[in-house]
Each structure stands twice: as structure tokens, then as C-alpha cells.
Amino acid sequence: MKRARAHVARLYPDKRQSAVLDGQAHAARAVWNLLHEFATFRQGRLASLKECDAAIREARHEIEWLGQLPAQAAQAVLKIYRQAWANFFNPDHPAERPAFKSRLRSRMAVDVPQASRLRITRINRRWGVVNLPKAGRVRFRWTKDLPGVTKGGPSGRVTGARLVKEAHGWNIVFRTEVFVPVPVPHTGPKAGLDRGITVPLALSTGKHLRHGPWLTGGERERLLRLERKSARQRASREKGAPVSNRERRTYDQIARLRATAKRRAVDWQHQTTTDLARRFSAIVVEDLNIMAMTASASGTVAEPGVNVAQKRGLNRSIAGEAWGRTVEFLTYKSADRGGLVAQVRPHGTSQECHRCHTTTAGSRETQSRFACKNPACGWIGNADTNAARNLLHRYNSAAGRAVTGRGDSGMPGPVKRQASCPTVSPAPALRAAA
């Protein structure tokens, strides 16, 4: 079977090459904005694919600086823009309406759709070079063998790449296709997985998966100093005045520290989810509406919210754990190994005893301690482990009884089995947009 994957590597361009890539990224953003204006400011309908393609060619001919962007990259912008409309028109795809891209708020990115132009070469164990249009040969960090590039590597090919600028610099995302055997069904045990803040991941086996702070003590102190410095600079700037270069440098330093924390968090999630996917045939998690859970509690002027600062801190902690990204990683890694990820109804998993399956007031004594108040049971243990075991029980009950209804009576709700990342065909929506 053919498996599509992406591999991210750090690029190390020199100053000239970095300036070329910056110019291409700004030109790509301008092409997006021009396309959006051309496609939407019409009478009663969106522009067709042919009309958008002709508009891009005319704009590249009339606007000289748009020539910094290679023609293939401009066509990739059109393809992504059309896909954004297809996702918006698709009722099963939670996508927002395409909008203009701001210079300061949008991520700088350039597509290299033709893999033959990359000419990837490995220099040594740690470094490789890649050919980028109009930038030349650029070094990148070699951390994983690319299919079809190195002898003895995985069978497959590189189909293209995308250049993305983050806070720490430029990255290259290789799009790859690897030929692998069809995975056989996983024969390992099943496990419930409870996501939290004090305990990031709690398994039904009783094991807790923890991590330390993403930044060291010195990095946290430096981040605090920079945030206070940016607050002083922002307060001293007149309203409506442009941001100074010093203030912008402060923001860049803050962004680099936060990007460092995110890279470490993603690395921990990758290692943890890979280990879980190897060990368990089915991983059961809660079907959480994370967006609703992290909604603001500020309220309105007429009806202001209560405990706003506490809720803001809770939302920040939930966002820092990235529960949705954990499930996303588990989903495709389990599918690669013949397993699955199932989501069950979360209602009452923290208050119900996993042994007697009764809900008694006061059983959840503290954040970490659960003591069943049922005289016939009396189980005492960790609250997160208890919740994880309830998730596994609900999955097993739903699989055995074929439960299809959702209710609050303690019966297991419907199970969402996710074997792989969903794919959406854009053809019907593209025809509707055209």
C-alpha cells in the first residue's frame, strides 16, 4: 500500500538565500490576496479555475515583483486557495471561509510542487543539500532517510516540498510517498487514556505519563523579562504609531522562546504516542469538545463573567497540553500498526467508580484521589486512573452490546472509531465553486 507522509527538516540558508525566500513568501501571500479579491468581488458567483489561472498570469506579467515567485509556486497558491473554498463548502469539513492574509499575522510559506527540481543530496550523516528555485543549493539538517534518495532507505519517492518560516527560521517539509505492506491487525491489549493537566496522560493500566516544563528555569526567567519589556514598550508607544525595530526584536525573541517550548512539547508527544501505538491495539479516549472547553468566561458588559482570571489560566493550561494533537498523532500511528483510536462519551467518567460503576456524591475527594462512597465497594485510588478505566469499560460495553444511542443514564454512548486521518475529495465543492 502507498502511505503519504511529511518530513520536516531545518533549513540553513545564508543571508542572500534567506532574503530570496522571504521575497517569495511575501509574493505568495500577495498572489493569495489578489486571487481572493478577483474571485470574490464578482456579481453572484465565484471565479472559475480557468479565470483565476488567467488572472495570475496577467498579474505576473504586469507586476514586476511578483516574478520573484516561481510560476509553479504561484500555481500551487491557486490550488491551495481552491481547496480552501472546497473545504468551506463541504458540510463535513469544519473549515472557515477563506479570507485575506495579513502581512504580520499569516505564516510565510512557499510551495515547491515539482520534486525533480529539488535534487536532494546527502552530504554526510548530519547534513543534506536541496536545490530551491531562485535560491540555489541550501543546506538542511538530515535527521531521517528520505524515500528514493539514499541507498538502502525506504522504498518510495519524494513528491514535493513546502518551505515554511517559523520563529527560529526556515523549515522544509518534504512530501513523501512510501510503499509499505498492509498492516496486520494489532494483537496487543486495549487501554483507556485520560487526558489532564496535573497528569498529562493517565493509562488504565495505572501508569501515568508525565513531562517536565518545556523551558528551563533560565529560559522562563528570560521569557518573563522579555514579556515585561514588551509591555513597557507597548505602553510607551503612542496609540496608532508604528512598532519600532526594538519592539519588534523583542517580539521576535519572545516568539523564538515559545517556538522552542512548542518543539519540545511536540517531540515529547511524538515519542509518547509512538510508544502507545506500538503497545496497544485499541486506545480509548474521551470525545471532548476542546473548543467549547477553552471558551472565554469574560462575558459581556451587561453580564460580566465570574472567575475570569482563573478560567483564563485553565484555558492556557489546556492549550499547553494540546490534547487534540495527542489524539491526532495517536490516530495515524495506531492505523499504521493495525490498531485504532476510539472516542467514547466523556460524561461522568471522573465521578463514576470503575469497579462498581456507580456515581456517588463526594467520591471524587480531591483532584488526584478517588474514594468510592458505595458501602459495597469502597475502592480507593488515583482519580485519573479511575477515569481511564471507565473509558475502557465504556468502549468494551459498547462493542459487546452494539450500543447506538447517547444518553446520560450511565450506559455507554456511541463509539467513534478512527483508523486513519480522514481525507476529503474536493471535486463536488470545486464544481459548486466554479
Side-chain angles (χ1 to χ4, degrees):
M1 61 177 292
K2 187 185 297 183
R3 178 183 297 165
R5 287 291 182 267
H7 172 60
V8 184
R10 176 81 177 272
L11 273 179
Y12 288 85
D14 56 29
K15 291 185 177 180
R16 183 196 66 84
Q17 293 170 334
S18 182
V20 171
L21 296 180
D22 287 348
Q24 292 183 5
H26 286 305
R29 179 185 54 81
V31 169
W32 174 284
N33 290 338
L34 291 173
L35 267 175
H36 188 62
E37 182 177 6
F38 176 77
T40 56
F41 282 66
R42 303 174 68 85
Q43 296 181 354
R45 68 176 184 89
L46 293 172
S48 65
L49 180 64
K50 182 178 180 180
E51 292 171 336
C52 290
D53 180 67
I56 288 180
R57 296 175 185 274
E58 184 178 356
R60 285 173 53 84
H61 179 72
E62 295 179 354
I63 305 175
E64 183 179 357
W65 55 268
L66 283 182
Q68 299 178 66
L69 186 67
Q72 294 81 9
Q75 293 297 319
V77 173
L78 173 59
K79 180 179 179 181
I80 297 172
Y81 179 76
R82 300 286 296 182
Q83 182 63 50
W85 276 110
N87 295 340
F88 173 71
F89 286 123
N90 190 342
D92 299 327
H93 199 289
E96 296 182 357
R97 181 186 178 92
F100 289 102
K101 289 188 176 183
S102 167
R103 179 183 178 90
L104 299 179
R105 297 179 181 271
S106 58
R107 183 170 14 179
M108 300 176 67
V110 183
D111 247 270
V112 186
Q114 294 182 337
S116 59
R117 297 196 172 190
L118 294 175
R119 293 169 50 200
I120 305 168
T121 306
R122 185 172 186 176
I123 300 176
N124 52 38
R125 185 170 63 90
R126 296 179 179 269
W127 295 97
V129 291
V130 60
N131 187 66
L132 300 181
K134 302 191 178 185
R137 303 289 280 174
V138 183
R139 294 188 308 154
F140 69 92
R141 192 71 169 177
W142 192 284
T143 58
K144 185 178 181 180
D145 286 340
L146 296 171
V149 177
T150 55
K151 293 183 179 180
S155 60
R157 64 192 181 102
V158 176
T159 60
R162 184 173 176 83
L163 311 177
V164 181
K165 189 173 185 181
E166 303 287 356
H168 58 269
W170 281 95
N171 292 335
I172 182 168
V173 184
F174 294 104
R175 293 189 288 265
T176 64
E177 286 183 354
V178 184
F179 300 98
V180 297
V182 178
V184 297
H186 201 299
T187 57
K190 303 179 180 66
L193 184 67
D194 181 68
R195 294 165 287 174
I197 297 174
T198 305
V199 179
L201 298 176
L203 290 170
S204 57
T205 59
K207 185 177 181 180
H208 292 172
L209 306 177
R210 302 175 183 270
H211 59 75
W214 304 127
L215 296 176
T216 64
E219 289 171 335
R220 292 197 298 272
E221 291 180 2
R222 182 166 179 262
L223 178 60
L224 181 60
R225 289 198 303 268
L226 289 172
E227 289 175 338
R228 289 173 175 173
K229 180 180 179 181
S230 67
R232 292 194 300 268
Q233 291 173 331
R234 188 164 54 252
S236 61
R237 174 165 39 95
E238 295 182 2
K239 187 176 182 180
V243 178
S244 65
N245 291 332
R246 290 184 178 181
E247 186 177 355
R248 197 176 301 281
R249 280 196 296 270
T250 304
Y251 292 147
D252 292 341
Q253 292 171 343
I254 292 174
R256 281 194 290 271
L257 280 173
R258 290 177 176 171
T260 299
K262 181 180 179 180
R263 290 201 307 274
R264 292 170 182 171
V266 172
D267 179 67
W268 180 84
Q269 285 181 310
H270 269 299
Q271 295 187 38
T272 303
T273 53
T274 299
D275 179 65
L276 292 175
R278 287 173 178 170
R279 292 166 53 194
F280 300 106
S281 61
I283 302 172
V284 190
V285 297
E286 296 172 296
D287 185 11
L288 298 176
N289 188 350
I290 301 176
M291 185 175 296
M293 293 176 62
T294 55
S296 175
S298 57
T300 62
V301 176
E303 297 181 0
V306 295
N307 298 328
V308 177
Q310 293 86 335
K311 184 62 168 64
R312 188 184 300 116
L314 176 62
N315 293 348
R316 190 180 297 114
S317 299
I318 294 175
E321 292 300 331
W323 293 343
R325 190 167 60 208
T326 299
V327 175
E328 181 182 353
F329 288 173
L330 276 174
T331 299
Y332 80 84
K333 291 180 181 182
S334 297
D336 291 347
R337 293 162 177 81
L340 62 88
V341 173
Q343 298 188 25
V344 299
R345 180 176 58 89
H347 178 76
T349 53
S350 299
Q351 288 78 31
E352 178 185 333
C353 176
H354 77 277
R355 177 176 292 180
C356 63
H357 302 293
T358 60
T359 302
T360 310
S363 294
R364 182 73 180 265
E365 294 183 346
T366 63
Q367 180 67 28
S368 60
R369 176 182 168 87
F370 186 94
C372 182
K373 302 303 180 182
N374 183 5
C377 178
W379 183 85
I380 300 176
N382 184 268
D384 298 311
T385 302
N386 176 73
R389 291 174 178 174
N390 280 326
L391 294 174
L392 181 60
H393 170 74
R394 292 187 179 185
Y395 170 75
N396 291 331
S397 299
R401 302 176 187 177
V403 177
T404 58
R406 178 186 294 268
D408 298 333
S409 59
M411 291 294 291
V415 176
K416 296 181 180 179
R417 293 178 175 83
Q418 299 180 356
S420 61
C421 297
T423 57
V424 178
S425 175
L430 283 177
R431 287 194 293 268

